[in-house]
Amino acid sequence: MSDIENLERDLIAKVDAADDEAAVEAVRVAALGKKGAVSERMKTLGKMSPEERKEMGPALNGLKTRVAAAIEAKKAALEEIALEARLASEKVDVTLPIKPVSNGKIHPVSQVFEEMIAIFSAMGFDVAEGPDIEDDFHNFTALNFPADHPAREMHDTFFFEPKEDDSRMLLRTHTSPVQIRTMMTQKPPIRIIIPGRTFRCDSDQTHTPMFHQVEGLVIDKQTHMGHLKGTLEAFAKAFFEVDNVKTRFRPHFFPFTEPSAEMDIGYERVGNEIRMGEGEKWMEILGCGMVHANVLKHCGLDPDEYQGFAFGMGVDRLAMLKYGIPDLRDFFAADARWLEHYGFDPLDQPNLATGLSR
Amino acid sequence: MKFTLSWLKEHLETDASLEQIVETMVEVGLEVEEVENPKERLVAFTIGEVLHAEKHPDADKLRVCKVATKDGEKQIVCGAPNARAGIKIAYAPVGAYVPGIDVTLSKAKIRGVESFGMMCSAREMEMGDDHDGILEAPTDAKVGDPIADWLGANDPVIDFEVTPNRPDTNGVNGVARDLAAAGLGKLITPTPNPTKGDFACAQKIGLHFDDDTKNACPAFAGRLINGVKNGPSPQWLQDKLRAIGLRPINALVDITNYMSYDRARPLHVYDADKLKGEIHARLGKTGETYLALDGKEYEADETMTVIADDNGVLGFGGIMGGEVTGCTEETQNVFIECAYFDPLRTAKTGRKTGIASDARYRFERGVDPDFVLPGLELATQLVLDCCGGSASEVELAGEIPTFEETVLFPPTEVNRLTGMNVSPERCEEILTALGFTVRKSDPWQVDVPPWRPDVGGKADLVEEITRIVGFDNLPTATLPQNRAVEPSKLTAAQERRMRARRALAAHGLSEAVTWSFTDERHAALFCDGPNWLKAKGLILANPIASDLSAMRPSILPNLIAALQRNADRGRDNLALFEVAPIYQGDQPTEQATAATGVRLSHPPRHWQGGENTADVFVAKADAMVALAAAGTPMQSLQTTSDAPAWFHPGRSGVLRLGPNVLGHFGEIHPRVLKAMDVDGPVMGFEIFLDNIPSGKKKATKTRPALNASELLPLSRDFAFVVSEDVAGEALVKAVKGAEKKMIADVSLFDIYQGKGVPEGKKSVAIEVLIQPRDKTLTDDEIEAISKRIVAQVEKATGGVLRA
């Protein structure tokens, strides 16, 4: 028995002395390998008498188990030391900067278009569109601007060179031609908004030769001016995200509506900030009215049967008011500093569930 | 249009305050733009009394005065010759701003004598031209009273916008009528008294038109007034004109201006002694000219109505008279013209000649035809009052055009169009107050007054009634809900745009919005040249600026120019995009929507090194981001190298689905950048969103079942030697085609030319991921797939496996 104890002492000492993985493996082969010291001893069990085997069997198995365990423990300890050493060598300065990730922005005009679409689609409006280059019929005549009437001079129109037949195309001065295009191709009931680019030959601090409008059109057999008022008041509250927005309707003149009105909203200016729903001042934000009988007739609709309202508003101006953007001309300058300052995160897609804006 | 409060009160008897008047004007649709009260400008000036005045000890022309003021007795040194004891004067204290000399007063020492404040002349207070001495107020003025009260300057001026449909409000009486109808008082506009002629009108008048043009001037009335004395008009008239910003000239001219603003009735006064033969209206003849009152010479043509005599054209009818026959201080005998000119012809002539006059403004919007003769009588009265003389009988050529417009009007129309409930009695009351005549048949027959050419339909009367009742009384109604929850509202095209926009922004490009027009020279670089732009009708006839004259055939020139503008400000590392219209012609079908982006790339260096500068593949990636977001079937996307001429020929490509071009990308051609004066290189792409096929609307939202194999995928590398002009895409496609079921992915990871590869060839290395589907593959099966790959590549590209 002391023989086995000596062997165990010897093997455990060798395991302890091994200081790398290869040395541990050498000990394992020498002890537990096919021809290892323990294995050789195990082979002698077969030749023993039952009594001897009864004594030596458990002793040798015990030896094998303990040596194997010592080897495993040593291996794990060595791995742990090696890992620690590797980790220690792999230290980096995590305060170093990452490669820059550039963030793009959405232009305020696009953002506000989408805000308006979110509001009006909840009220059942579809989104219609039409061409920027228009003819006289759709931009003026069908909208009840008689030829040579001074009302046409309210619109500083961009014209193209005359064609051989003396007709000339123009850049639409408002999104209203799409009213005509829609009514001529679609049977009422109609409930649409029309976002788009519009053009007037005018340029100063508050006018740019190109700007954006959203037009609205509702045609059916019962919509009256009270619906117009209700719709636009609801829009103003939703758009400015202020519950107590005050609105005022004033009679006005547009050739394509009768009666016609302008809607003002109440505001107060505090420093550079414009606060909607406070104060005593009024600001005009849109024009509207009941679609003129002549416009309905031009589109083949009987004005005694069909009726409805139309409205139009300047998108750029509403964006300026809502977000406190000072100068209209900057909208179209593509100045990176401006785009990054006033632009919107592409993840902020306007919808009514999350609120239109953050 | 401006008028003063006191002027209004000549037409409207009212107790209403200025605030009520202004508010009511806005409510009835006369949009007040500004109210200016001169009193507010004069608030610093009060009445003072000179108690004592003596010569300045050291200056002959100065006087040292003791003045009683609201601030007590003050010593004021004054240079005015009329500064003397006992007069009441306009006192301005130290600290007051004196507008006429643009000075804020401070305590002064004048030649050694202290002076506290100032005694002002009318001109110093900007209350007239008088500067002969200090202003002398009436002796009964009380010390301390506001000077405005004694200058008649307590008359607020109201400025409002006249909409084109309301020519009647170009006269103060029209404003008064609206306000009276709105319940603010009583309309008291006096009716002109006819003056009986003392003698027959010796001046012959006539109309010379054909039957088809006689509506150009259907009525031409006039009379002579002999023995007038022209000169400055009376103070009341000068004050009125000055208050609304007009310069008094002489009595005769002032009277015509007054008529334009009081009654919206322009007329013209000729020096009768300068007329030769018959004065008449006719169409002009090309080549005829006249010197107009604005000092410019104008040429007439056959479309214009002119007033002429035997000497030729005297003026454009209803627009502007001539210098030669105008009235001067020496004028003794005058001929007053009061006519009716066709609005459309007047508007056309006005536009053609560019003359903007008060007369044109009124005639082109329509004047009251019934007021031709009363207008002439009112003018006669004024001339006789201001200039004396005696009037001839009235002459009229032609006939006063009859204005007959009757609207069939069921009063229920008010409720149908506005939702408002207004009783028939109230409707009738309002219409009557506005000058309409209501005949209560069924439906009502409502006669429109001749000063309201804008009213012609039921809706017009609805507007008249509701604007007087007040839009405040409109009900607030909600549009009926069609569905409990609204379905999606965007068309496929709209959704594509929105998705492309947000994807590009998320990918690091910032959205710009630039003009639809651009520099013609720049536009020509991004299409088939300047002739193409012209042939397609894309050149504006009246651009806002010469460098914004062409509709853009591409967004690229605008964005590239924007990159340079930013670079000029030191921002030369920038990516911009725009999703917006481009124009291939002037027809609706020729407008397309492009998603276009550009990069100017000078990224800052980074400690991890590596090449960060954008190249053609960054542009390709940008383009593919937009395409994918917009719903392109990306697995079918092909790239070819035939990009348009504005790209670098070797570093650009076209993205397409077979013959359908979806866009192009690449480095912008250096020659194009040079022509635009831009420092490159610039990478760009342009996607034609409308060309992307709309996916078929699916019947169900159910997705196909996931087909994920339990078996381990395995990867194999291949290197092929191919001709150097073989496209990488063709090789990858050939590999994929070799075993469609099991090849899950193919990645091209190396391209090599040089030692070991023959001249004119390249070695392309790819990694193929094979996904067994039903069972683990045997070595033989894997070998078979490899062989098929090699065969397929050879067949498609002529490439061979690299030894």
Side-chain angles (χ1 to χ4, degrees):
Chain A
M1 286 301 282
S2 64
D3 179 34
I4 289 176
E5 283 165 16
N6 286 339
L7 181 59
E8 181 171 349
R9 215 172 2 256
D10 182 42
L11 288 173
I12 296 295
K14 280 180 175 159
V15 170
D16 286 347
D19 56 3
D20 59 24
E21 215 174 325
V24 176
E25 182 62 11
V27 176
R28 188 189 68 80
V29 171
L32 305 175
K34 258 183 178 171
K35 298 198 170 156
V38 177
S39 306
E40 290 295 339
R41 296 287 173 96
M42 296 291 279
K43 285 177 195 165
T44 63
L45 282 175
K47 294 169 192 155
M48 287 181 193
S49 66
E51 290 77 22
E52 273 180 317
R53 201 183 295 138
K54 200 173 177 183
E55 186 184 348
M56 288 303 284
L60 279 174
N61 273 323
L63 169 69
K64 186 181 170 186
T65 305
R66 285 191 295 280
V67 170
I71 288 171
E72 280 311 308
K74 184 68 182 182
K75 270 191 177 172
L78 282 174
E79 271 174 27
E80 195 59 27
I81 290 166
L83 180 63
E84 285 300 331
R86 198 186 97 209
L87 291 178
S89 73
E90 285 174 350
K91 184 173 167 61
V92 297
D93 176 4
V94 294
T95 67
L96 286 173
I98 58 164
K99 287 206 173 183
V101 181
S102 50
N103 295 310
K105 290 292 178 81
I106 295 290
H107 194 284
V109 165
S110 299
Q111 189 77 10
V112 168
F113 264 141
E114 288 189 29
E115 291 184 9
M116 292 176 174
I117 288 170
I119 296 167
F120 282 110
S121 59
M123 292 194 270
F125 286 74
D126 289 321
V127 183
E129 286 167 318
D132 296 348
I133 302 178
E134 266 294 0
D135 52 37
D136 188 87
F137 174 78
H138 288 94
N139 196 73
F140 288 125
T141 309
L143 287 161
N144 197 37
F145 286 80
D148 293 309
H149 193 271
R152 290 196 178 201
E153 290 180 21
M154 292 162 80
H155 295 214
D156 298 302
T157 311
F158 281 113
F159 291 102
F160 292 88
E161 297 291 351
K163 295 179 186 262
E164 277 173 13
D165 63 358
D166 252 15
S167 69
R168 51 181 186 174
M169 303 297 280
L170 48 85
L171 283 175
R172 65 177 179 192
T173 55
H174 44 186
T175 39
S176 312
V178 187
Q179 289 188 22
I180 304 301
R181 291 183 179 275
T182 306
M183 283 191 275
M184 291 181 89
T185 54
Q186 198 177 316
K187 265 189 85 68
I190 292 170
R191 208 185 276 191
I192 53 168
I193 57 165
I194 306 154
R197 294 187 164 204
T198 47
F199 306 86
R200 294 197 195 171
C201 195
D202 194 359
S203 182
D204 58 38
Q205 197 167 354
T206 54
H207 297 88
T208 47
M210 182 185 94
F211 54 103
H212 298 83
Q213 282 190 342
V214 163
E215 183 101 2
L217 176 71
V218 175
I219 300 289
D220 51 32
K221 294 184 177 179
Q222 67 279 322
T223 292
H224 57 62
M225 237 174 141
H227 296 108
L228 170 64
K229 186 181 175 191
T231 301
L232 291 176
E233 282 180 351
F235 165 76
K237 280 186 185 137
F239 178 73
F240 288 109
E241 302 177 71
V242 176
D243 268 346
N244 56 345
V245 165
K246 285 186 301 178
T247 58
R248 173 175 86 169
F249 286 77
R250 280 181 290 105
H252 197 68
F253 168 73
F254 302 105
F256 38 99
T257 47
E258 189 81 25
S260 302
E262 283 187 332
M263 184 171 97
D264 297 340
I265 50 175
Y267 75 101
E268 183 176 45
R269 193 184 285 275
V270 183
N272 285 333
E273 193 188 340
I274 287 175
R275 292 193 189 153
M276 301 299 170
E278 295 176 25
E280 297 296 318
K281 289 187 168 157
W282 293 104
M283 167 164 30
E284 179 243 317
I285 64 160
L286 58 83
C288 57
M290 297 300 290
V291 176
H292 199 289
N294 290 349
V295 174
L296 292 170
K297 280 186 216 157
H298 272 299
C299 299
L301 298 175
D302 177 357
D304 285 325
E305 185 180 358
Y306 292 106
Q307 61 186 70
F309 65 71
F311 60 83
M313 53 186 133
V315 174
D316 321 82
R317 198 157 153 269
L318 285 170
M320 289 168 78
L321 288 176
K322 179 167 180 179
Y323 292 109
I325 306 174
D327 195 325
L328 175 65
R329 292 168 297 188
D330 293 339
F331 275 66
F332 309 105
D335 183 331
R337 298 166 299 180
W338 189 92
L339 296 175
E340 283 156 11
H341 182 77
Y342 289 109
F344 290 81
D345 190 303
L347 293 181
D348 290 339
Q349 193 153 11
N351 87 55
L352 295 172
T354 56
L356 281 183
S357 65
R358 284 205 287 176
Chain B
M1 161 87 188
K2 285 181 180 176
F3 61 90
T4 63
L5 184 60
S6 68
W7 196 340
L8 177 69
K9 287 183 176 176
E10 291 171 15
H11 294 278
L12 182 72
E13 191 179 286
T14 181
D15 301 327
S17 66
L18 177 65
E19 288 68 30
Q20 280 173 303
I21 287 169
V22 167
E23 203 171 294
T24 308
M25 283 182 69
V26 171
E27 278 168 11
V28 301
L30 308 176
E31 191 183 349
V32 175
E33 287 173 337
E34 200 187 358
V35 179
E36 199 206 21
N37 195 343
K39 187 177 184 177
E40 283 156 22
R41 271 192 299 136
L42 294 174
V43 73
F45 303 91
T46 51
I47 298 286
E49 180 176 5
V50 181
L51 303 172
H52 181 79
E54 61 183 29
K55 197 183 85 60
H56 189 289
D58 293 324
D60 287 345
K61 290 193 171 164
L62 295 181
R63 278 155 199 276
V64 180
C65 304
K66 296 272 189 286
V67 183
T69 74
K70 68 177 175 52
D71 305 321
E73 194 177 310
K74 295 283 175 187
Q75 172 171 293
I76 297 176
V77 178
C78 180
N82 61 335
R84 62 189 190 278
I87 63 169
K88 298 275 169 68
I89 52 87
Y91 160 70
V94 168
Y97 174 74
V98 183
I101 50 174
D102 190 24
V103 162
T104 300
L105 299 179
S106 54
K107 200 171 85 176
K109 221 172 206 177
I110 301 172
R111 295 252 180 126
V113 178
E114 283 189 312
S115 179
F116 302 85
M118 183 170 171
M119 296 189 280
C120 300
S121 70
R123 193 163 82 187
E124 282 158 348
M125 292 183 288
E126 289 191 329
M127 286 308 297
D129 295 332
D130 194 357
H131 194 53
D132 291 342
I134 53 174
L135 184 116
E136 288 185 41
T139 46
D140 54 345
K142 271 196 5 236
V143 170
D145 277 358
I147 195 77
D149 292 352
W150 296 96
L151 281 178
N154 200 0
D155 199 3
V157 180
I158 300 164
D159 190 5
F160 74 103
E161 184 196 345
V162 177
T163 50
N165 61 324
R166 291 298 305 277
D168 60 312
T169 58
N170 279 312
V172 180
N173 71 319
V175 177
R177 189 183 298 111
D178 266 21
L179 292 176
L184 227 58
K186 191 176 150 204
L187 188 66
I188 50 165
T189 300
T191 307
N193 291 320
T195 300
K196 198 175 162 332
D198 296 332
F199 53 94
C201 183
Q203 177 61 48
K204 290 280 161 278
I205 65 175
L207 292 171
H208 300 266
F209 293 97
D210 295 336
D211 271 358
D212 54 341
T213 56
K214 69 179 179 191
N215 75 334
C217 176
F220 188 101
R223 78 184 339 162
L224 285 169
I225 301 183
N226 288 344
V228 298
K229 190 177 171 333
N230 196 12
S233 54
Q235 196 62 40
W236 67 265
L237 181 48
Q238 291 196 30
D239 286 349
K240 267 199 171 61
L241 296 181
R242 223 180 253 119
I244 61 168
L246 293 179
R247 192 166 56 91
I249 307 215
N250 60 45
L252 292 168
V253 174
D254 293 355
I255 286 166
T256 62
N257 283 335
Y258 170 74
M259 292 281 298
S260 269
Y261 282 83
D262 191 62
R263 305 292 180 101
R265 185 2 113 173
L267 30 76
H268 194 74
V269 182
Y270 299 86
D271 186 328
D273 298 326
K274 293 175 188 163
L275 295 174
K276 187 176 174 206
E278 182 198 67
I279 183 168
H280 56 272
R282 61 168 166 83
L283 293 183
K285 297 178 191 127
T286 303
E288 285 186 307
T289 61
Y290 83 106
L291 181 65
L293 279 168
D294 62 4
K296 292 185 196 149
E297 182 137 320
Y298 293 95
E299 190 180 328
D301 68 28
E302 280 76 8
T303 67
M304 304 173 176
T305 304
V306 300
I307 309 299
D309 67 0
D310 289 357
N311 284 330
V313 175
L314 307 175
F316 288 134
I319 295 182
M320 191 173 276
E323 186 72 42
V324 179
T325 50
C327 294
T328 65
E329 308 265 321
E330 285 75 46
T331 298
Q332 292 176 352
N333 304 310
V334 297
F335 176 76
I336 308 177
E337 163 210 306
C338 191
Y340 184 86
F341 297 102
D342 175 45
L344 285 188
R345 196 179 287 272
T346 310
K348 269 190 190 166
T349 304
R351 260 202 305 282
K352 236 183 228 180
T353 58
I355 302 175
S357 66
D358 284 337
R360 170 194 165 188
Y361 192 84
R362 284 161 177 74
F363 277 115
E364 69 184 7
R365 282 160 176 76
V367 301
D368 178 359
D370 282 6
F371 199 67
V372 171
L373 293 175
L376 181 58
E377 293 296 353
L378 180 55
T380 304
Q381 222 171 36
L382 287 164
V383 172
L384 293 176
D385 288 353
C386 300
C387 308
S390 75
S392 77
E393 284 163 6
V394 169
E395 279 287 305
L396 171 68
E399 281 173 31
I400 304 296
T402 48
F403 182 90
E404 278 174 11
E405 182 76 48
T406 300
V407 179
L408 299 181
F409 182 67
T412 50
E413 198 69 2
V414 175
N415 181 266
R416 180 175 87 102
L417 289 185
T418 69
M420 262 159 94
N421 291 311
V422 185
S423 70
E425 294 73 32
R426 181 80 178 112
C427 291
E428 186 187 3
E429 184 188 16
I430 290 169
L431 290 173
T432 307
L434 289 170
F436 294 81
T437 309
V438 177
R439 286 177 282 149
K440 291 204 306 201
S441 48
D442 184 24
W444 288 4
Q445 297 179 59
V446 180
D447 296 333
V448 179
W451 59 82
R452 290 299 301 272
D454 61 305
V455 176
K458 292 182 286 188
D460 299 321
L461 296 182
V462 171
E463 177 170 89
E464 291 308 300
I465 292 163
T466 46
R467 75 185 177 91
I468 297 299
V469 172
F471 281 9
D472 282 352
N473 295 302
L474 282 170
T476 300
T478 305
L479 284 173
Q481 207 169 4
N482 291 330
R483 296 184 181 86
V485 176
E486 287 292 333
S488 72
K489 294 293 170 194
L490 297 184
T491 62
Q494 290 158 352
E495 204 185 330
R496 273 199 290 266
R497 259 177 265 159
M498 247 182 226
R499 290 177 56 88
R501 181 176 286 131
R502 295 211 173 252
L504 286 168
H507 192 60
L509 295 86
S510 275
E511 189 189 16
V513 173
T514 65
W515 309 129
S516 280
F517 17 69
T518 192
D519 192 323
E520 189 176 338
R521 290 165 307 170
H522 293 173
L525 298 168
F526 294 85
C527 62
D528 288 342
N531 292 333
W532 181 88
L533 287 170
K534 283 193 183 74
K536 284 293 188 175
L538 293 174
I539 304 297
L540 285 168
N542 59 333
I544 192 90
S546 60
D547 61 355
L548 291 175
S549 62
M551 297 308 288
R552 61 186 187 189
S554 161
I555 303 174
L556 283 169
N558 285 2
L559 293 181
I560 292 168
L563 284 182
Q564 185 61 45
R565 285 199 303 274
N566 280 287
D568 291 344
R569 283 190 292 263
R571 185 66 188 272
D572 61 359
N573 188 43
L574 182 61
L576 295 174
F577 78 96
E578 181 171 356
V579 178
I582 55 171
Y583 308 88
Q584 301 294 327
D586 61 7
Q587 295 305 303
T589 50
E590 293 175 303
Q591 179 173 327
T593 304
T596 303
V598 293
R599 286 179 185 267
L600 182 64
S601 179
H602 293 99
R605 284 166 298 171
H606 191 259
W607 63 273
Q608 285 177 304
E611 185 57 64
N612 298 325
T613 309
D615 61 8
V616 56
F617 295 100
V618 170
K620 185 178 181 182
D622 290 342
M624 289 175 70
V625 160
L627 282 173
T632 308
M634 297 302 279
Q635 70 286 353
S636 310
L637 190 67
Q638 298 158 286
T639 316
T640 53
S641 56
D642 49 344
W646 48 92
F647 285 103
H648 184 306
R651 294 179 181 167
S652 61
V654 175
L655 294 165
R656 54 171 76 227
L657 296 169
N660 180 10
V661 171
L662 301 187
H664 31 244
F665 64 90
E667 184 177 328
I668 304 298
H669 200 298
R671 216 179 285 132
V672 168
L673 293 184
K674 191 173 177 214
M676 292 183 69
D677 210 10
V678 170
D679 300 324
V682 170
M683 301 300 145
F685 71 90
E686 189 161 36
I687 298 298
F688 310 113
L689 292 174
D690 308 305
N691 293 0
I692 298 172
S694 296
K696 284 201 189 81
K697 188 119 177 115
K698 293 191 189 100
T700 168
K701 297 286 178 189
T702 306
R703 309 226 170 159
L706 174 66
N707 181 12
S709 175
E710 295 292 321
L711 304 168
L712 268 187
L714 53 116
S715 94
R716 287 289 180 277
D717 289 356
F718 298 84
F720 290 103
V721 175
V722 295
S723 174
E724 66 184 355
D725 55 11
V726 165
E729 191 178 279
L731 197 141
V732 170
K733 193 180 165 202
V735 174
K736 280 184 178 161
E739 166 54 62
K740 289 196 170 119
K741 212 174 138 207
M742 280 189 278
I743 293 184
D745 195 20
V746 179
S747 57
L748 192 160
F749 66 89
D750 191 44
I751 293 170
Y752 172 75
Q753 274 184 297
K755 196 165 169 256
V757 174
E759 189 81 0
K761 305 265 183 190
K762 62 185 173 188
S763 166
V764 181
I766 56 170
E767 180 181 349
V768 180
L769 189 72
I770 298 168
Q771 173 63 64
R773 289 289 165 192
D774 311 320
K775 61 182 182 60
T776 309
L777 298 177
T778 65
D779 288 350
D780 286 349
E781 285 165 332
I782 295 169
E783 186 59 26
I785 291 175
S786 296
K787 279 193 172 140
R788 277 209 297 282
I789 288 173
V790 173
Q792 194 70 31
V793 168
E794 184 172 1
K795 190 176 153 206
T797 71
V800 295
L801 205 55
R802 193 176 170 192

